[in-house]
Coordinates of all heavy atoms in Angstrom, one line a residue:
M1 N 10.1 -24.9 11.0 CA 10.3 -23.7 11.7 C 9.2 -23.4 12.7 O 8.1 -23.4 12.3 CB 10.4 -22.6 10.6 CG 10.7 -21.2 11.2 SD 10.8 -19.9 10.0 CE 12.4 -20.1 9.3
P2 N 9.6 -23.1 13.9 CA 8.5 -22.8 14.9 C 7.7 -21.6 14.5 O 8.2 -20.7 13.8 CB 9.3 -22.5 16.2 CG 10.7 -23.1 16.0 CD 10.9 -23.1 14.5
L3 N 6.5 -21.5 15.0 CA 5.5 -20.5 14.6 C 6.1 -19.1 15.0 O 6.0 -18.1 14.2 CB 4.2 -20.7 15.3 CG 3.1 -19.8 14.9 CD1 2.9 -19.8 13.3 CD2 1.8 -20.1 15.5
K4 N 6.7 -18.9 16.2 CA 7.3 -17.6 16.5 C 8.4 -17.2 15.6 O 8.5 -16.1 15.2 CB 7.8 -17.6 18.0 CG 6.6 -17.5 19.0 CD 7.2 -17.3 20.4 CE 6.1 -17.1 21.4 NZ 6.6 -16.9 22.7
S5 N 9.2 -18.2 15.2 CA 10.3 -17.9 14.3 C 9.8 -17.5 12.9 O 10.3 -16.6 12.3 CB 11.3 -19.0 14.2 OG 11.9 -19.3 15.4
L6 N 8.7 -18.2 12.5 CA 8.1 -17.8 11.2 C 7.5 -16.5 11.2 O 7.7 -15.7 10.3 CB 7.1 -18.9 10.9 CG 6.4 -18.7 9.5 CD1 7.4 -18.8 8.4 CD2 5.3 -19.8 9.4
A7 N 6.8 -16.1 12.3 CA 6.2 -14.8 12.4 C 7.3 -13.7 12.5 O 7.1 -12.7 11.8 CB 5.4 -14.7 13.7
A8 N 8.4 -14.0 13.2 CA 9.4 -13.0 13.3 C 10.1 -12.8 11.9 O 10.4 -11.7 11.5 CB 10.5 -13.4 14.3
A9 N 10.3 -13.9 11.2 CA 10.9 -13.8 9.8 C 9.9 -13.0 8.9 O 10.4 -12.2 8.1 CB 11.1 -15.2 9.3
F10 N 8.6 -13.3 9.0 CA 7.7 -12.5 8.2 C 7.7 -11.0 8.5 O 7.7 -10.2 7.5 CB 6.3 -13.1 8.4 CG 5.2 -12.3 7.6 CD1 5.1 -12.4 6.3 CD2 4.4 -11.4 8.3 CE1 4.1 -11.6 5.6 CE2 3.5 -10.6 7.7 CZ 3.3 -10.7 6.3
I11 N 7.7 -10.7 9.7 CA 7.8 -9.3 10.1 C 9.0 -8.6 9.6 O 9.0 -7.5 9.1 CB 7.6 -9.1 11.6 CG1 6.1 -9.5 12.0 CG2 8.0 -7.7 12.1 CD1 5.9 -9.6 13.5
E12 N 10.2 -9.3 9.8 CA 11.4 -8.7 9.4 C 11.5 -8.6 7.8 O 11.9 -7.5 7.3 CB 12.6 -9.6 9.8 CG 14.0 -9.1 9.5 CD 14.2 -7.7 10.1 OE1 13.7 -7.4 11.2 OE2 15.0 -6.9 9.5
F13 N 11.0 -9.5 7.1 CA 11.0 -9.4 5.6 C 10.0 -8.3 5.2 O 10.4 -7.5 4.3 CB 10.5 -10.8 5.0 CG 10.3 -10.7 3.5 CD1 11.4 -10.7 2.7 CD2 9.0 -10.6 3.0 CE1 11.2 -10.7 1.3 CE2 8.9 -10.5 1.6 CZ 10.0 -10.5 0.8
S14 N 8.9 -8.2 5.8 CA 7.9 -7.2 5.5 C 8.5 -5.8 5.8 O 8.3 -4.9 5.0 CB 6.6 -7.4 6.2 OG 6.0 -8.6 5.9
R15 N 9.1 -5.7 6.9 CA 9.7 -4.4 7.3 C 10.8 -4.0 6.2 O 10.8 -2.9 5.8 CB 10.4 -4.5 8.7 CG 11.0 -3.2 9.1 CD 11.5 -3.3 10.5 NE 10.4 -3.5 11.5 CZ 10.4 -4.4 12.4 NH1 11.4 -5.2 12.6 NH2 9.4 -4.5 13.2
W16 N 11.6 -5.0 5.8 CA 12.6 -4.7 4.8 C 12.0 -4.3 3.5 O 12.4 -3.3 2.9 CB 13.5 -5.9 4.6 CG 14.4 -5.8 3.5 CD1 15.6 -5.1 3.4 CD2 14.2 -6.3 2.1 NE1 16.1 -5.2 2.1 CE2 15.3 -5.9 1.3 CE3 13.2 -7.1 1.6 CZ2 15.4 -6.3 0.0 CZ3 13.3 -7.5 0.3 CH2 14.4 -7.1 -0.5
K17 N 11.0 -5.0 3.1 CA 10.3 -4.7 1.8 C 9.7 -3.3 1.8 O 9.9 -2.5 0.9 CB 9.2 -5.7 1.5 CG 9.5 -6.9 0.7 CD 10.1 -6.6 -0.6 CE 9.5 -7.4 -1.7 NZ 10.4 -7.5 -2.9
L18 N 9.0 -3.0 2.9 CA 8.4 -1.7 2.9 C 9.3 -0.5 3.1 O 9.3 0.5 2.4 CB 7.4 -1.7 4.1 CG 6.1 -2.5 3.9 CD1 5.4 -2.6 5.3 CD2 5.2 -1.9 2.9
L19 N 10.3 -0.6 4.0 CA 11.2 0.5 4.3 C 12.4 0.6 3.4 O 12.8 1.7 3.0 CB 11.7 0.4 5.7 CG 10.6 0.5 6.8 CD1 11.2 0.3 8.2 CD2 9.8 1.8 6.7
D20 N 12.9 -0.5 3.0 CA 14.2 -0.5 2.2 C 13.9 -0.6 0.7 O 14.8 -0.2 -0.1 CB 15.1 -1.6 2.6 CG 15.6 -1.4 4.0 OD1 15.5 -0.2 4.5 OD2 16.0 -2.4 4.6
E21 N 12.8 -1.1 0.2 CA 12.6 -1.3 -1.2 C 11.4 -0.4 -1.7 O 11.7 0.4 -2.6 CB 12.3 -2.8 -1.5 CG 12.3 -3.1 -3.0 CD 12.2 -4.5 -3.3 OE1 12.8 -5.3 -2.6 OE2 11.5 -4.9 -4.2
Y22 N 10.3 -0.5 -1.1 CA 9.1 0.2 -1.6 C 9.2 1.7 -1.3 O 8.9 2.5 -2.2 CB 7.8 -0.4 -1.1 CG 7.5 -1.8 -1.6 CD1 6.8 -2.6 -0.8 CD2 7.9 -2.2 -2.8 CE1 6.5 -3.9 -1.2 CE2 7.6 -3.5 -3.2 CZ 6.9 -4.4 -2.4 OH 6.6 -5.6 -2.9
W23 N 9.5 2.0 -0.1 CA 9.4 3.4 0.4 C 10.4 4.3 -0.5 O 10.0 5.4 -1.0 CB 9.7 3.6 1.8 CG 9.9 5.0 2.3 CD1 11.0 5.6 2.8 CD2 8.9 6.0 2.3 NE1 10.8 6.9 3.0 CE2 9.5 7.2 2.7 CE3 7.6 6.1 1.9 CZ2 8.8 8.4 2.9 CZ3 6.9 7.3 2.0 CH2 7.5 8.4 2.5
P24 N 11.7 3.9 -0.7 CA 12.5 4.8 -1.5 C 12.0 5.0 -2.9 O 12.1 6.1 -3.5 CB 13.9 4.1 -1.5 CG 13.8 3.2 -0.2 CD 12.4 2.8 -0.1
R25 N 11.5 4.0 -3.5 CA 10.9 4.1 -4.9 C 9.7 5.0 -4.9 O 9.6 5.9 -5.8 CB 10.5 2.7 -5.4 CG 11.7 1.8 -5.7 CD 11.1 0.5 -6.1 NE 12.2 -0.5 -6.4 CZ 12.0 -1.7 -6.7 NH1 10.7 -2.2 -6.9 NH2 13.0 -2.6 -6.9
L26 N 8.8 4.8 -4.0 CA 7.6 5.6 -3.9 C 8.0 7.1 -3.7 O 7.5 8.0 -4.3 CB 6.7 5.1 -2.8 CG 5.4 5.8 -2.6 CD1 4.5 5.7 -3.9 CD2 4.6 5.2 -1.5
R27 N 8.9 7.3 -2.7 CA 9.3 8.7 -2.4 C 10.0 9.4 -3.6 O 9.6 10.5 -3.9 CB 10.3 8.6 -1.2 CG 10.7 10.0 -0.7 CD 11.5 9.9 0.5 NE 11.8 11.3 0.9 CZ 12.2 11.6 2.1 NH1 12.3 10.7 3.0 NH2 12.5 12.9 2.4
A28 N 10.8 8.7 -4.3 CA 11.5 9.3 -5.4 C 10.5 9.7 -6.5 O 10.6 10.7 -7.1 CB 12.5 8.3 -6.0
C29 N 9.5 8.8 -6.7 CA 8.5 9.1 -7.7 C 7.7 10.3 -7.4 O 7.5 11.2 -8.2 CB 7.6 7.9 -7.9 SG 8.4 6.5 -8.8
V30 N 7.2 10.4 -6.1 CA 6.4 11.5 -5.7 C 7.1 12.8 -5.6 O 6.6 13.8 -6.0 CB 5.7 11.2 -4.3 CG1 4.9 12.4 -3.8 CG2 4.7 10.0 -4.5
E31 N 8.4 12.7 -5.2 CA 9.2 13.9 -5.1 C 9.5 14.5 -6.4 O 9.8 15.7 -6.5 CB 10.5 13.7 -4.3 CG 10.3 13.5 -2.8 CD 11.6 13.3 -2.1 OE1 12.6 12.9 -2.7 OE2 11.5 13.5 -0.8
S32 N 9.4 13.8 -7.5 CA 9.6 14.3 -8.8 C 8.4 15.1 -9.4 O 8.5 15.7 -10.4 CB 10.0 13.1 -9.8 OG 8.9 12.4 -10.1
L33 N 7.3 15.0 -8.7 CA 6.1 15.7 -9.1 C 5.9 17.0 -8.4 O 6.3 17.2 -7.3 CB 4.8 14.8 -8.8 CG 4.8 13.4 -9.4 CD1 3.6 12.6 -8.8 CD2 4.8 13.4 -10.9
S34 N 5.2 17.9 -9.1 CA 4.8 19.2 -8.4 C 3.6 18.9 -7.6 O 3.0 17.9 -7.7 CB 4.5 20.3 -9.5 OG 3.3 19.9 -10.2
D35 N 3.3 19.9 -6.7 CA 2.1 19.8 -5.9 C 0.9 19.6 -6.8 O 0.0 18.8 -6.5 CB 1.9 21.0 -4.9 CG 2.9 20.9 -3.8 OD1 3.5 19.9 -3.5 OD2 2.9 22.0 -3.1
E36 N 0.8 20.4 -7.8 CA -0.3 20.3 -8.7 C -0.4 18.9 -9.4 O -1.5 18.4 -9.5 CB -0.2 21.3 -9.9 CG -1.3 21.4 -10.8 CD -1.2 22.4 -11.9 OE1 -0.7 23.6 -11.5 OE2 -1.5 22.1 -13.0
Q37 N 0.7 18.3 -9.7 CA 0.6 17.0 -10.3 C 0.2 15.9 -9.3 O -0.5 15.0 -9.6 CB 2.0 16.6 -10.9 CG 2.4 17.4 -12.1 CD 3.8 17.1 -12.5 OE1 4.7 17.1 -11.7 NE2 4.0 17.0 -13.9
V38 N 0.6 16.1 -8.0 CA 0.3 15.1 -7.0 C -1.2 15.1 -6.8 O -1.8 14.0 -6.5 CB 1.0 15.5 -5.7 CG1 0.5 14.7 -4.5 CG2 2.5 15.2 -5.8
W39 N -1.9 16.2 -6.8 CA -3.3 16.3 -6.5 C -4.2 16.3 -7.8 O -5.4 16.4 -7.7 CB -3.6 17.5 -5.6 CG -2.9 17.3 -4.3 CD1 -1.8 18.0 -3.9 CD2 -3.2 16.4 -3.3 NE1 -1.4 17.5 -2.6 CE2 -2.3 16.5 -2.3 CE3 -4.2 15.4 -3.2 CZ2 -2.3 15.7 -1.1 CZ3 -4.2 14.6 -2.0 CH2 -3.3 14.8 -1.0
W40 N -3.6 16.2 -9.0 CA -4.4 16.2 -10.2 C -5.2 15.0 -10.4 O -4.7 13.9 -10.0 CB -3.4 16.4 -11.4 CG -4.1 16.3 -12.7 CD1 -4.7 17.4 -13.4 CD2 -4.2 15.2 -13.6 NE1 -5.2 16.9 -14.6 CE2 -5.0 15.6 -14.7 CE3 -3.8 13.9 -13.5 CZ2 -5.3 14.7 -15.7 CZ3 -4.1 13.0 -14.5 CH2 -4.9 13.4 -15.6
R41 N -6.4 15.1 -10.9 CA -7.3 14.0 -11.2 C -7.7 14.1 -12.6 O -8.1 15.2 -13.0 CB -8.5 13.9 -10.2 CG -8.1 13.7 -8.8 CD -9.3 13.6 -7.9 NE -10.4 14.4 -8.2 CZ -11.7 14.2 -7.8 NH1 -11.9 13.2 -7.0 NH2 -12.7 14.9 -8.1
A42 N -7.8 13.0 -13.3 CA -8.2 13.0 -14.7 C -9.7 13.4 -14.8 O -10.1 14.0 -15.8 CB -7.9 11.6 -15.4
N43 N -10.5 12.9 -13.9 CA -11.9 13.2 -13.8 C -12.4 13.0 -12.4 O -11.7 12.6 -11.5 CB -12.6 12.4 -14.9 CG -12.4 10.9 -14.7 OD1 -12.6 10.4 -13.6 ND2 -12.0 10.2 -15.7
E44 N -13.7 13.2 -12.2 CA -14.3 13.1 -10.9 C -14.2 11.7 -10.3 O -14.3 11.4 -9.1 CB -15.7 13.6 -10.9 CG -15.9 15.1 -11.0 CD -15.3 15.8 -9.8 OE1 -15.6 15.4 -8.7 OE2 -14.6 16.8 -10.0
A45 N -14.2 10.7 -11.2 CA -14.2 9.3 -10.8 C -12.8 8.8 -10.5 O -12.6 7.7 -10.0 CB -14.8 8.4 -11.9
S46 N -11.8 9.6 -10.8 CA -10.4 9.2 -10.6 C -9.8 9.7 -9.3 O -10.2 10.7 -8.7 CB -9.5 9.7 -11.7 OG -9.9 9.3 -13.0
N47 N -8.8 9.0 -8.8 CA -8.1 9.4 -7.6 C -6.8 10.1 -8.0 O -6.2 9.7 -9.0 CB -7.7 8.2 -6.7 CG -8.9 7.7 -5.9 OD1 -9.6 8.5 -5.4 ND2 -9.1 6.4 -5.9
S48 N -6.4 11.0 -7.2 CA -5.1 11.7 -7.4 C -4.0 10.8 -6.8 O -4.2 9.9 -6.0 CB -5.0 13.0 -6.8 OG -5.1 12.9 -5.4
V49 N -2.7 11.0 -7.2 CA -1.6 10.3 -6.6 C -1.6 10.6 -5.1 O -1.4 9.7 -4.3 CB -0.3 10.8 -7.3 CG1 0.9 10.3 -6.5 CG2 -0.2 10.4 -8.7
G50 N -1.8 11.9 -4.7 CA -1.8 12.2 -3.3 C -2.9 11.4 -2.5 O -2.6 11.0 -1.4
N51 N -4.1 11.3 -3.1 CA -5.1 10.5 -2.5 C -4.7 9.1 -2.3 O -5.0 8.4 -1.2 CB -6.4 10.6 -3.2 CG -7.6 10.2 -2.5 OD1 -7.9 9.0 -2.4 ND2 -8.3 11.1 -1.8
L52 N -4.1 8.5 -3.3 CA -3.6 7.1 -3.2 C -2.6 6.9 -2.1 O -2.6 5.9 -1.4 CB -3.1 6.6 -4.6 CG -4.2 6.5 -5.7 CD1 -3.5 6.2 -7.0 CD2 -5.2 5.5 -5.4
I53 N -1.7 7.9 -2.0 CA -0.7 7.9 -1.0 C -1.3 7.9 0.4 O -0.9 7.2 1.3 CB 0.3 9.0 -1.1 CG1 1.1 9.0 -2.5 CG2 1.3 9.1 0.0 CD1 2.0 7.8 -2.6
L54 N -2.3 8.8 0.6 CA -3.0 8.8 1.8 C -3.7 7.5 2.2 O -3.7 7.0 3.3 CB -4.1 9.9 1.8 CG -3.5 11.4 1.9 CD1 -4.7 12.4 1.7 CD2 -2.8 11.6 3.2
H55 N -4.3 6.8 1.2 CA -4.9 5.5 1.4 C -3.8 4.5 1.8 O -4.1 3.7 2.6 CB -5.6 5.1 0.1 CG -7.0 5.7 0.0 ND1 -8.1 5.4 0.8 CD2 -7.4 6.7 -0.8 CE1 -9.1 6.2 0.4 NE2 -8.7 7.0 -0.5
L56 N -2.7 4.5 1.1 CA -1.6 3.6 1.4 C -1.2 3.8 2.9 O -0.9 2.8 3.6 CB -0.4 3.7 0.5 CG -0.5 3.2 -0.9 CD1 0.6 3.6 -1.8 CD2 -0.6 1.6 -0.8
N57 N -1.0 5.0 3.2 CA -0.6 5.4 4.6 C -1.6 4.8 5.6 O -1.2 4.2 6.6 CB -0.4 6.9 4.8 CG 0.0 7.3 6.1 OD1 1.0 6.8 6.6 ND2 -0.8 8.1 6.8
G58 N -2.9 5.0 5.3 CA -3.9 4.5 6.2 C -3.9 3.0 6.3 O -4.1 2.4 7.4
N59 N -3.7 2.3 5.2 CA -3.6 0.9 5.2 C -2.4 0.3 6.0 O -2.5 -0.6 6.7 CB -3.6 0.3 3.8 CG -5.0 0.4 3.1 OD1 -6.0 0.4 3.8 ND2 -5.0 0.4 1.8
V60 N -1.3 1.0 5.8 CA -0.1 0.5 6.5 C -0.3 0.7 8.0 O 0.0 -0.1 8.8 CB 1.2 1.3 6.1 CG1 2.3 1.1 7.0 CG2 1.6 0.9 4.7
N61 N -0.9 1.9 8.4 CA -1.2 2.1 9.8 C -2.2 1.1 10.3 O -2.0 0.6 11.4 CB -1.7 3.6 10.0 CG -0.6 4.6 10.1 OD1 0.5 4.3 10.6 ND2 -0.8 5.7 9.5
Q62 N -3.2 0.9 9.5 CA -4.3 -0.1 10.0 C -3.8 -1.5 10.2 O -4.1 -2.1 11.2 CB -5.5 -0.1 9.0 CG -6.6 -1.0 9.5 CD -7.7 -1.0 8.5 OE1 -7.7 -0.3 7.5 NE2 -8.7 -1.9 8.7
W63 N -3.0 -2.0 9.3 CA -2.6 -3.4 9.3 C -1.3 -3.7 10.0 O -1.1 -4.8 10.5 CB -2.6 -3.9 7.9 CG -4.0 -3.9 7.3 CD1 -4.5 -3.1 6.3 CD2 -5.1 -4.8 7.6 NE1 -5.8 -3.4 6.0 CE2 -6.2 -4.4 6.8 CE3 -5.2 -5.9 8.5 CZ2 -7.4 -5.1 6.9 CZ3 -6.4 -6.5 8.6 CH2 -7.5 -6.1 7.8
L64 N -0.4 -2.7 10.0 CA 0.9 -2.9 10.5 C 1.2 -2.2 11.8 O 2.1 -2.6 12.6 CB 2.0 -2.6 9.5 CG 1.9 -3.3 8.2 CD1 3.0 -2.9 7.2 CD2 2.0 -4.8 8.4
V65 N 0.6 -1.1 12.1 CA 0.8 -0.3 13.3 C -0.3 -0.4 14.3 O 0.0 -0.6 15.5 CB 1.1 1.2 12.9 CG1 1.3 2.0 14.1 CG2 2.3 1.3 11.9
A66 N -1.5 -0.2 13.8 CA -2.6 -0.2 14.8 C -2.8 -1.4 15.7 O -3.2 -1.3 16.8 CB -3.9 0.0 14.0
P67 N -2.5 -2.6 15.2 CA -2.6 -3.8 16.1 C -1.7 -3.6 17.4 O -2.0 -4.2 18.4 CB -2.1 -5.0 15.3 CG -2.4 -4.6 13.9 CD -2.1 -3.1 13.8
F68 N -0.7 -2.8 17.3 CA 0.2 -2.5 18.4 C 0.0 -1.2 19.1 O 0.4 -1.0 20.2 CB 1.7 -2.6 17.9 CG 2.0 -3.9 17.2 CD1 2.1 -3.9 15.8 CD2 2.1 -5.1 17.9 CE1 2.3 -5.1 15.2 CE2 2.4 -6.2 17.3 CZ 2.5 -6.3 15.9
D69 N -0.7 -0.3 18.4 CA -1.0 1.1 18.9 C -2.3 1.6 18.4 O -2.4 2.1 17.3 CB 0.2 2.0 18.5 CG 0.1 3.4 19.1 OD1 -0.9 3.6 19.9 OD2 1.0 4.2 18.9
H70 N -3.3 1.6 19.3 CA -4.6 2.1 18.8 C -4.7 3.6 18.4 O -5.5 4.0 17.7 CB -5.7 1.8 19.9 CG -5.6 2.7 21.1 ND1 -4.6 2.5 22.1 CD2 -6.2 3.8 21.4 CE1 -4.7 3.5 23.0 NE2 -5.7 4.3 22.6
R71 N -3.7 4.4 18.9 CA -3.6 5.8 18.6 C -3.3 6.0 17.1 O -3.7 7.0 16.5 CB -2.6 6.5 19.4 CG -3.0 6.5 20.9 CD -1.8 7.0 21.7 NE -0.7 6.0 21.6 CZ 0.5 6.2 22.1 NH1 0.8 7.2 22.8 NH2 1.4 5.3 21.9
A72 N -2.6 5.0 16.4 CA -2.3 5.2 15.0 C -3.5 5.3 14.1 O -3.5 6.1 13.2 CB -1.4 4.0 14.6
R73 N -4.5 4.5 14.4 CA -5.7 4.5 13.5 C -6.5 5.9 13.7 O -6.9 6.5 12.8 CB -6.6 3.3 13.9 CG -7.9 3.3 13.1 CD -7.6 2.9 11.7 NE -8.9 2.8 10.9 CZ -9.0 3.2 9.7 NH1 -8.0 3.6 9.0 NH2 -10.2 3.0 9.1
T74 N -6.5 6.3 15.0 CA -7.2 7.6 15.2 C -6.5 8.7 14.5 O -7.1 9.6 13.9 CB -7.2 7.8 16.8 OG1 -7.9 6.7 17.4 CG2 -8.0 9.1 17.1
S75 N -5.2 8.7 14.5 CA -4.4 9.7 13.9 C -4.6 9.7 12.4 O -4.7 10.7 11.7 CB -2.9 9.5 14.2 OG -2.1 10.4 13.5
A76 N -4.6 8.5 11.8 CA -4.8 8.3 10.3 C -6.1 8.9 9.9 O -6.3 9.6 8.9 CB -4.6 6.9 9.9
I77 N -7.2 8.6 10.7 CA -8.5 9.1 10.4 C -8.5 10.6 10.5 O -9.1 11.3 9.6 CB -9.6 8.5 11.3 CG1 -9.7 7.0 11.0 CG2 -10.9 9.2 11.2 CD1 -10.5 6.2 12.0
A78 N -7.9 11.2 11.5 CA -7.8 12.6 11.7 C -7.1 13.3 10.5 O -7.5 14.3 10.0 CB -7.2 13.0 13.0
Q79 N -6.0 12.6 10.0 CA -5.3 13.2 8.9 C -6.2 13.2 7.6 O -6.2 14.1 6.9 CB -4.0 12.3 8.6 CG -3.2 12.9 7.5 CD -2.0 12.0 7.3 OE1 -1.9 10.9 7.7 NE2 -1.0 12.5 6.6
L80 N -6.9 12.1 7.4 CA -7.7 12.0 6.2 C -8.8 13.1 6.3 O -9.2 13.7 5.3 CB -8.3 10.6 6.0 CG -7.4 9.6 5.5 CD1 -8.0 8.2 5.6 CD2 -6.9 9.9 4.1
N81 N -9.4 13.2 7.5 CA -10.5 14.2 7.6 C -10.0 15.6 7.4 O -10.7 16.4 6.8 CB -11.2 14.0 9.0 CG -12.0 12.8 9.1 OD1 -12.4 12.2 8.1 ND2 -12.3 12.4 10.3
S82 N -8.8 15.9 7.9 CA -8.3 17.3 7.7 C -8.0 17.5 6.2 O -8.2 18.7 5.7 CB -7.0 17.5 8.5 OG -6.0 16.8 8.0
R83 N -7.6 16.5 5.5 CA -7.4 16.7 4.0 C -8.7 16.9 3.3 O -8.7 17.6 2.3 CB -6.6 15.5 3.5 CG -5.2 15.5 3.7 CD -4.6 16.4 2.7 NE -3.1 16.2 2.8 CZ -2.3 17.0 2.2 NH1 -2.7 18.0 1.5 NH2 -1.0 16.8 2.3
S84 N -9.7 16.2 3.7 CA -11.0 16.3 3.0 C -11.9 17.4 3.4 O -13.0 17.6 2.9 CB -11.7 14.9 3.0 OG -12.1 14.7 4.4
G85 N -11.4 18.1 4.5 CA -12.2 19.3 5.0 C -13.3 18.9 5.9 O -14.2 19.7 6.2
K86 N -13.3 17.7 6.4 CA -14.4 17.2 7.4 C -14.2 17.8 8.7 O -13.1 18.0 9.2 CB -14.5 15.7 7.4 CG -15.0 15.1 6.1 CD -15.1 13.6 6.3 CE -15.7 13.0 5.0 NZ -15.8 11.6 5.0

């Protein structure tokens, strides 16, 4: 398989996995929680579900969007900063 075809197949498979498989599952799980549950932490060393979602969003933007659009990374950083009060 030529390199371009392999790259296109990988992108298509990744897009399908993220949008059609992972996203609906993740969304259903988070929507079943209250706001309090989303931001609850067991202790100071733990992350909340909401914080993990923000990190996932940043990683998706960094690795899948930002290579094509530098504004995505800037937006992700601004979103994290607004959440943390920076």
Side-chain angles (χ1 to χ4, degrees):
M1 179 180 281
L3 188 55
K4 281 188 176 184
S5 296
L6 183 60
F10 174 77
I11 290 170
E12 184 60 31
F13 175 78
S14 298
R15 182 178 293 133
W16 170 79
K17 267 305 222 199
L18 288 169
L19 297 177
D20 295 339
E21 191 170 321
Y22 295 149
W23 172 246
R25 290 178 183 176
L26 182 61
R27 184 176 182 157
C29 289
V30 172
E31 285 179 343
S32 72
L33 302 173
S34 68
D35 285 350
E36 183 179 316
Q37 290 172 317
V38 168
W39 296 107
W40 177 83
R41 296 185 324 163
N43 56 53
E44 288 295 315
S46 299
N47 283 317
S48 66
V49 170
N51 193 276
L52 294 172
I53 298 293
L54 289 173
H55 282 286
L56 284 172
N57 181 57
N59 284 337
V60 167
N61 279 324
Q62 179 180 357
W63 295 105
L64 301 177
V65 177
F68 305 102
D69 183 1
H70 72 281
R71 296 171 295 179
R73 180 71 177 144
T74 304
S75 175
I77 291 169
Q79 182 183 18
L80 286 173
N81 287 341
S82 71
R83 279 283 190 188
S84 66
K86 289 183 181 179

